[in-house]
Amino acid sequence: MTNLSNKWKWLILSLLFIAPLLQAQGTHVHGQGELLVSSQEGQLSVLLTLPAMDVLGFEHAPSSAAQQTAIKDAAEKFKAPLKIVMPDDEAGCIVQSATVESALLSAAEKHQQHHHGHADFVIEYQLSCAKPKYLRQVTVLLFEWLPAVTINAQAVTEYGAEVATLNRRSAVLVLSSAP
Ligand SMILES: [Zn+2]
């Protein structure tokens, strides 16, 4: 339990740190996603928020079978973390969990049609890295799928924090490492 509670403490600390970024959620700007990467003692946590509009081209509840399929297909793609964000090979990171949440996803699953306004995809990954000293950066591969999106990113490690605006041409988020 000690590990778990430490992990949550760290996550909460990280979330406080990027509170200004997260405030944008719910009133998101189309074309802009948010990414938080935190690394501590080999535990790599990734929190990615994207406007559904940028993922699907719509963000209302699905009104056709094709739209339902599009939502579920997107969720499946997000469940392959190493195709979305790729840490350094040398760090030996393996995926522990991948979760995808969206009001549209629940609407698609329950065949509901009463979602209105903005909707996000909120994606959370946990990875365990055998050699964290080689963990120096994370490359965002999401742009191969969604080339038009811009991501406001923040990386928090034991050694410091980095902020970056990432896009198709600048897709690498540097992690502060030991001096
Ligand atoms: Zn929106």
Side-chain angles (χ1 to χ4, degrees):
M1 289 306 288
T2 310
N3 280 343
L4 187 67
S5 66
N6 275 343
K7 190 180 96 182
W8 281 109
K9 257 188 265 173
W10 182 250
L11 188 63
I12 288 163
L13 188 69
S14 306
L15 287 173
L16 287 175
F17 203 84
I18 62 145
L21 283 178
L22 287 180
Q23 277 172 7
Q25 201 176 322
T27 54
H28 60 216
V29 176
H30 293 168
Q32 287 185 18
E34 315 288 339
L35 174 67
L36 167 67
V37 175
S38 68
S39 153
Q40 189 193 36
E41 293 169 0
Q43 187 70 30
L44 186 65
S45 303
V46 176
L47 181 63
L48 174 64
T49 305
L50 292 165
M53 183 62 82
D54 296 306
V55 177
L56 302 168
F58 63 91
E59 58 184 12
H60 53 76
S63 55
S64 67
Q67 289 184 344
Q68 289 202 3
T69 303
I71 292 167
K72 289 176 186 173
D73 285 354
E76 280 310 305
K77 280 192 185 181
F78 285 126
K79 283 180 183 168
L82 298 180
K83 292 183 177 176
I84 305 295
V85 287
M86 175 61 86
D88 292 289
D89 257 0
E90 300 80 6
C93 300
I94 57 165
V95 176
Q96 292 183 308
S97 67
T99 61
V100 182
E101 288 178 13
S102 173
L104 298 190
L105 195 57
S106 16
E109 279 163 0
K110 293 171 190 162
H111 300 275
Q112 289 169 344
Q113 297 198 348
H114 55 65
H115 176 80
H116 300 288
H118 291 288
D120 292 306
F121 277 86
V122 180
I123 300 114
E124 192 186 341
Y125 302 139
Q126 296 291 338
L127 294 93
S128 170
C129 305
K131 297 177 182 172
K133 68 174 177 174
Y134 296 113
L135 188 56
R136 299 182 188 283
Q137 62 184 42
V138 169
T139 304
V140 177
L141 302 181
L142 174 76
F143 299 117
E144 292 174 13
W145 169 23
L146 304 175
V149 78
T150 295
I151 292 181
N152 301 314
Q154 184 151 1
V156 183
T157 75
E158 297 101 316
Y159 304 104
E162 303 276 346
V163 179
T165 303
L166 304 179
N167 56 46
R168 184 165 59 94
R169 291 188 185 81
S170 177
V172 174
L173 179 61
V174 174
L175 306 181
S176 304
S177 51

